[in-house]
Amino acid sequence: MEYLFWSGEIYSAGRTAQFERRYDLPERVLPPRGGELCPIPSPPTPSAQLVRIAARAHGVATQQ
């Protein structure tokens, strides 16, 4: 069961009173999709955002 959980075949549907994981199928755990929730960015966008965040953290392009 843990292998199926970690591979994404089944999902956690909660916990028991003994804190054991309850498993269920993804279609019964996730809410139905009512259209696209958010647009999927193009491949260069996430890496460009990470570069911007890293540059800002290092003080690149800041006024002194």
Side-chain angles (χ1 to χ4, degrees):
M1 294 300 283
E2 286 293 315
Y3 173 76
L4 293 173
F5 173 72
W6 288 109
S7 65
E9 298 293 321
I10 59 175
Y11 281 35
S12 175
R15 299 271 183 174
T16 65
Q18 293 80 26
F19 207 65
E20 297 168 328
R21 196 180 277 136
R22 293 184 310 129
Y23 299 102
D24 207 345
L25 299 172
E27 56 267 14
R28 295 192 331 198
V29 175
L30 299 175
R33 291 186 67 149
E36 194 62 36
L37 297 176
C38 63
I40 299 172
S42 61
T45 302
S47 58
Q49 289 174 343
L50 289 174
V51 168
R52 265 188 249 118
I53 291 169
R56 221 176 309 129
H58 287 284
V60 175
T62 58
Q63 287 183 326
Q64 298 227 3

